[in-house]
Coordinates of all heavy atoms in Angstrom, one line a residue:
I29 N 17.2 10.0 -0.3 CA 17.7 11.2 0.1 C 16.9 11.8 1.3 O 15.7 12.0 1.2 CB 17.5 12.3 -1.1 CG1 18.3 11.7 -2.3 CG2 18.2 13.6 -0.7 CD1 18.3 12.7 -3.5
G30 N 17.6 12.1 2.3 CA 16.9 12.6 3.5 C 17.1 11.6 4.7 O 16.6 10.4 4.6
A31 N 17.7 12.0 5.9 CA 18.0 11.1 7.0 C 17.3 11.6 8.2 O 17.9 11.6 9.2 CB 19.6 10.9 7.2
G32 N 16.1 11.9 8.1 CA 15.2 12.2 9.2 C 14.5 11.2 9.7 O 14.8 10.0 9.4
G33 N 13.3 11.4 10.3 CA 12.5 10.4 10.9 C 12.0 9.4 9.8 O 12.0 8.2 10.0
V34 N 11.5 10.0 8.8 CA 11.0 9.2 7.6 C 12.0 8.4 6.9 O 11.9 7.2 6.7 CB 10.2 10.1 6.6 CG1 9.6 9.2 5.4 CG2 9.1 10.9 7.4
G35 N 13.2 9.0 6.7 CA 14.4 8.3 6.1 C 14.8 7.2 7.0 O 15.2 6.1 6.4
A55 N 21.7 9.4 1.2 CA 22.4 10.6 1.1 C 21.6 11.6 1.8 O 20.4 11.7 1.8 CB 22.3 11.1 -0.5
S56 N 22.3 12.6 2.5 CA 21.6 13.7 3.3 C 22.6 14.8 3.6 O 23.8 14.7 3.3 CB 21.1 13.1 4.6 OG 20.0 13.9 5.0
R57 N 22.0 15.9 4.1 CA 22.9 17.2 4.2 C 23.8 16.9 5.4 O 24.9 17.3 5.2 CB 21.8 18.3 4.5 CG 22.4 19.5 4.7 CD 21.4 20.7 4.8 NE 20.4 20.4 5.9 CZ 19.3 21.2 6.1 NH1 19.1 22.1 5.2 NH2 18.4 20.9 7.0
T58 N 23.4 16.3 6.4 CA 24.3 16.1 7.5 C 24.7 14.5 7.6 O 23.8 13.7 8.0 CB 23.6 16.5 8.9 OG1 23.0 17.7 8.7 CG2 24.5 16.5 10.1
K61 N 24.0 12.2 10.6 CA 22.7 11.5 10.9 C 22.5 10.3 9.9 O 21.9 9.4 10.4 CB 21.6 12.6 10.5 CG 21.5 13.7 11.5 CD 20.1 14.4 11.4 CE 20.2 15.7 12.3 NZ 19.0 16.5 11.8
I83 N 25.2 15.2 0.9 CA 24.7 15.9 -0.3 C 23.9 17.1 0.0 O 23.2 17.2 1.0 CB 24.0 15.0 -1.3 CG1 23.7 15.7 -2.6 CG2 22.5 14.6 -0.7 CD1 23.9 14.9 -3.8
D84 N 24.0 18.2 -0.8 CA 23.1 19.3 -0.7 C 22.0 19.1 -1.9 O 22.4 19.4 -3.0 CB 23.7 20.5 -0.7 CG 22.7 21.8 -0.6 OD1 21.5 21.4 -0.7 OD2 23.1 22.9 -0.4
A85 N 21.0 18.6 -1.6 CA 19.9 18.3 -2.7 C 19.4 19.5 -3.3 O 18.6 19.5 -4.2 CB 18.9 17.3 -2.2
N86 N 19.8 20.7 -2.8 CA 19.4 21.9 -3.4 C 20.3 22.2 -4.7 O 20.0 23.1 -5.4 CB 19.4 23.2 -2.5 CG 18.3 23.2 -1.5 OD1 17.1 22.8 -1.8 ND2 18.6 23.5 -0.3
N105 N 12.7 10.3 -2.4 CA 13.0 11.7 -1.8 C 12.2 11.9 -0.5 O 11.1 12.0 -0.6 CB 12.7 12.7 -2.9 CG 12.6 14.0 -2.3 OD1 13.2 14.4 -1.3 ND2 12.1 15.0 -3.0
V106 N 12.9 11.6 0.6 CA 12.3 11.9 1.9 C 13.1 13.0 2.7 O 13.3 13.1 3.8 CB 12.2 10.7 2.7 CG1 11.0 9.9 2.2 CG2 13.4 9.8 2.8
A107 N 13.7 14.0 1.8 CA 14.2 15.2 2.3 C 13.0 16.2 2.4 O 12.0 15.8 3.0 CB 15.3 15.7 1.4
L108 N 13.3 17.5 2.1 CA 12.2 18.4 2.3 C 11.5 18.7 1.0 O 12.2 18.6 -0.1 CB 12.7 19.6 3.0 CG 13.2 19.4 4.5 CD1 13.7 20.6 5.0 CD2 12.3 18.6 5.2
P109 N 10.3 19.2 1.0 CA 9.6 19.5 -0.2 C 10.3 20.6 -1.1 O 10.1 20.7 -2.3 CB 8.2 20.0 0.3 CG 8.0 19.4 1.6 CD 9.4 19.3 2.1
Q111 N 13.2 20.5 -2.1 CA 14.2 19.9 -3.0 C 13.6 19.2 -4.1 O 14.3 18.7 -5.0 CB 15.2 19.0 -2.1 CG 16.2 19.7 -1.4 CD 15.7 19.9 0.1 OE1 15.2 19.1 0.7 NE2 15.9 21.2 0.5
T129 N 7.1 12.0 -0.9 CA 5.9 11.9 0.0 C 5.3 13.2 0.3 O 4.3 13.3 1.1 CB 6.4 11.4 1.4 OG1 7.3 12.3 1.9 CG2 7.2 9.9 1.3
A130 N 5.8 14.3 -0.4 CA 5.1 15.6 -0.1 C 5.3 16.4 -1.3 O 6.4 16.4 -1.9 CB 5.8 16.3 1.2
G162 N 3.6 12.0 -3.8 CA 2.9 11.9 -2.6 C 2.7 10.5 -2.0 O 1.5 10.1 -1.7
C163 N 3.7 9.7 -1.9 CA 3.5 8.3 -1.5 C 3.9 8.1 0.0 O 4.8 7.3 0.3 CB 4.3 7.4 -2.4 SG 3.9 5.6 -2.2
G164 N 3.4 9.0 0.8 CA 3.6 8.7 2.3 C 2.3 8.1 2.8 O 1.6 7.3 2.1
F165 N 1.8 8.5 4.1 CA 0.5 7.9 4.5 C -0.6 8.9 4.1 O -1.5 8.4 3.4 CB 0.5 7.7 6.0 CG -0.5 6.7 6.4 CD1 -0.3 5.4 6.5 CD2 -1.9 7.2 6.5 CE1 -1.4 4.5 6.8 CE2 -2.9 6.3 6.9 CZ -2.6 5.0 7.0
D166 N -0.5 10.2 4.4 CA -1.5 11.1 3.9 C -0.8 12.3 3.5 O -0.5 13.2 4.5 CB -2.6 11.4 4.9 CG -2.1 11.7 6.4 OD1 -0.9 11.4 6.7 OD2 -3.0 12.2 7.1
P167 N -0.5 12.6 2.2 CA -1.0 11.9 1.1 C -0.2 10.6 1.0 O 0.9 10.4 1.5 CB -0.6 12.9 0.0 CG 0.7 13.6 0.4 CD 0.4 13.9 1.9
G168 N -0.9 9.7 0.3 CA -0.2 8.4 0.0 C -1.2 7.2 0.3 O -2.2 7.1 -0.5
N205 N 5.3 16.3 14.8 CA 5.5 14.9 14.5 C 6.2 14.6 13.3 O 6.6 13.5 13.0 CB 4.2 14.1 14.5 CG 3.6 14.1 15.9 OD1 4.0 13.5 16.9 ND2 2.5 14.9 16.1
F206 N 6.3 15.6 12.4 CA 7.4 15.5 11.3 C 8.0 16.9 11.2 O 7.8 17.7 12.0 CB 6.7 15.0 10.0 CG 5.7 15.9 9.4 CD1 6.0 16.7 8.4 CD2 4.3 15.9 9.8 CE1 5.1 17.6 7.7 CE2 3.4 16.6 9.2 CZ 3.8 17.5 8.2
N207 N 8.9 17.0 10.2 CA 9.7 18.2 10.0 C 8.9 19.5 10.5 O 7.7 19.8 9.9 CB 10.0 18.4 8.6 CG 10.9 19.7 8.5 OD1 10.4 20.7 8.3 ND2 12.2 19.5 8.4
S208 N 9.3 20.2 11.5 CA 8.4 21.2 12.1 C 8.2 22.4 11.3 O 7.1 23.0 11.3 CB 9.0 21.8 13.5 OG 10.4 21.7 13.4
I210 N 7.8 22.4 7.9 CA 6.7 22.1 7.0 C 5.4 21.8 7.7 O 4.3 22.4 7.2 CB 7.1 20.6 6.3 CG1 8.4 20.8 5.6 CG2 6.0 20.4 5.2 CD1 8.6 21.8 4.6
H254 N -5.3 19.9 3.0 CA -4.2 18.9 2.9 C -4.1 18.6 1.5 O -5.1 18.4 0.7 CB -4.5 17.7 3.8 CG -3.3 17.1 4.6 ND1 -2.9 15.8 4.3 CD2 -2.5 17.7 5.5 CE1 -1.8 15.7 5.1 NE2 -1.6 16.8 5.9
E255 N -2.8 18.4 1.1 CA -2.5 18.5 -0.4 C -3.1 17.2 -1.2 O -3.5 17.5 -2.4 CB -1.0 18.4 -0.5 CG -0.3 17.1 -0.1 CD 1.2 17.4 0.2 OE1 1.6 18.3 0.8 OE2 1.9 16.6 -0.3
K312 N 12.6 25.8 14.2 CA 12.8 24.4 14.0 C 14.0 23.9 14.7 O 14.2 22.8 15.3 CB 12.9 24.0 12.4 CG 13.3 22.6 12.2 CD 13.6 22.2 10.8 CE 14.0 20.8 10.5 NZ 15.3 20.4 10.9
D317 N 13.4 17.3 17.9 CA 13.7 16.6 16.6 C 12.5 15.5 16.6 O 12.4 14.6 17.4 CB 15.0 15.9 16.6 CG 15.2 15.2 15.2 OD1 14.2 14.9 14.5 OD2 16.4 14.8 15.0
P318 N 11.6 15.6 15.5 CA 10.4 14.7 15.4 C 10.9 13.2 15.4 O 10.2 12.3 15.8 CB 9.7 15.1 14.2 CG 10.4 16.3 13.7 CD 11.5 16.7 14.5
G319 N 12.0 13.1 14.7 CA 12.6 11.7 14.5 C 13.1 11.1 15.8 O 13.2 9.9 16.0
V367 N 4.2 8.6 13.2 CA 4.0 9.5 12.0 C 5.2 9.3 11.0 O 4.9 9.1 9.9 CB 3.9 11.0 12.4 CG1 3.7 11.9 11.3 CG2 2.6 11.2 13.4
S368 N 6.4 9.1 11.6 CA 7.4 8.7 10.7 C 7.2 7.3 10.1 O 7.5 7.1 8.9 CB 8.7 8.7 11.4 OG 9.0 10.0 12.0
T370 N 4.4 5.5 9.7 CA 3.3 5.2 8.6 C 3.8 5.8 7.3 O 3.5 5.3 6.2 CB 2.1 5.8 9.1 OG1 2.2 7.2 9.6 CG2 1.3 5.0 10.2
T371 N 4.5 7.0 7.4 CA 4.9 7.6 6.2 C 6.1 6.8 5.5 O 5.9 6.5 4.3 CB 5.5 9.0 6.5 OG1 4.6 9.7 7.3 CG2 5.8 9.8 5.1
Ligands
NDP525 P1 13.1 15.6 8.9 O1 13.2 17.1 9.0 O2 13.2 14.8 10.2 O3 14.2 15.1 7.8 C1 14.5 15.7 6.6 C2 15.8 15.2 6.3 O4 16.2 15.8 5.0 C3 16.9 15.6 7.2 O5 17.9 14.5 7.3 C4 17.6 16.8 6.5 O6 18.9 17.0 6.8 C5 17.4 16.5 5.0 N1 17.6 17.5 4.1 C6 17.0 18.8 4.4 N2 17.4 19.6 3.4 C7 18.3 18.9 2.7 C8 19.0 19.2 1.6 N3 19.1 20.4 1.0 N4 19.9 18.2 1.0 C9 19.9 17.0 1.6 N5 19.1 16.7 2.6 C10 18.4 17.5 3.1 O7 11.8 15.5 8.2 P2 10.7 14.1 8.2 O8 11.6 12.9 8.1 O9 9.9 14.2 9.3 O10 10.0 14.4 6.9 C11 10.5 13.9 5.6 C12 9.6 14.3 4.5 O11 8.5 13.6 4.6 C13 9.1 15.9 4.5 O12 9.2 16.2 3.1 C14 7.8 15.7 4.9 O13 7.0 16.8 4.5 C15 7.3 14.4 4.5 N6 6.1 13.7 5.3 C16 5.1 13.2 4.6 C17 4.1 12.6 5.3 C18 3.0 11.9 4.5 O14 2.2 11.2 5.1 N7 2.9 12.1 3.2 C19 4.0 12.6 6.6 C20 5.3 13.1 7.3 C21 6.2 13.7 6.6 P3 19.5 17.6 8.2 O15 19.6 16.4 8.9 O16 20.8 18.3 7.8 O17 18.4 18.5 8.6

Side-chain angles (χ1 to χ4, degrees):
I29 304 183
V34 179
S56 200
R57 185 169 56 186
T58 310
K61 289 198 190 167
I83 189 131
D84 181 352
N86 285 321
N105 169 16
V106 283
L108 298 185
Q111 283 92 50
T129 65
C163 195
F165 200 93
D166 48 343
N205 293 289
F206 66 97
N207 183 279
S208 37
I210 306 299
H254 223 243
E255 63 201 53
K312 177 187 179 286
D317 181 344
V367 177
S368 304
T370 51
T371 309

